[in-house]
Amino acid sequence: TASSTSSSSSLSSEATSASTSTTSESQQQQQQQPPITTMLYQNPPNNYYFCGPSFATISNTCLASKPCPSAVSSQHCRGGEGCFYHPTCKSMYDSASSSSPGGSGGGGGTTS
């Protein structure tokens, strides 16, 4: 019975190793994805609200998050998304807008 006990423990350690390597591989794949550096939307001037399923999601994908200038999600966002106040995201949009070729500072409109 000693040999059956040692073979059982080696099988369970192999299964644990396999699941650990799968978990670390998926974490590496997530970490290797480059951050989004191109705006998918134009952010209106002085807008600090963005659509997303959570604040954390917007933090990770800011430039892919749709602006929500009225702060009312039903007017701008997809189902299941909210409209979140996110000043860091506004700053990222401002930086991306000013660094893009021919960028107009984010608004594209005229001021009176």
Side-chain angles (χ1 to χ4, degrees):
T1 60
S3 64
S4 66
T5 305
S6 66
S7 66
S8 296
S9 64
S10 67
L11 287 176
S12 66
S13 67
E14 287 175 13
T16 303
S17 297
S19 67
T20 304
S21 66
T22 303
T23 302
S24 63
E25 287 172 12
S26 66
Q27 288 173 347
Q28 288 175 353
Q29 288 174 351
Q30 289 175 351
Q31 292 172 354
Q32 290 174 354
Q33 293 176 348
I36 297 171
T37 57
T38 305
M39 296 183 302
L40 297 184
Y41 303 94
Q42 288 295 319
N43 188 30
N46 301 315
N47 175 57
Y48 289 86
Y49 291 88
F50 299 89
C51 297
S54 69
F55 183 87
T57 302
I58 295 170
S59 298
N60 294 330
T61 59
C62 177
L63 295 178
S65 299
K66 184 177 181 181
C68 183
S70 70
V72 178
S73 61
S74 63
Q75 294 179 0
H76 305 283
C77 306
R78 293 180 285 205
E81 291 186 334
C83 204
F84 296 90
Y85 177 79
H86 206 303
T88 303
C89 194
K90 181 197 183 310
S91 297
M92 291 177 72
Y93 261 95
D94 290 347
S95 295
S97 178
S98 65
S99 66
S100 66
S104 59
T110 58
T111 57
S112 311

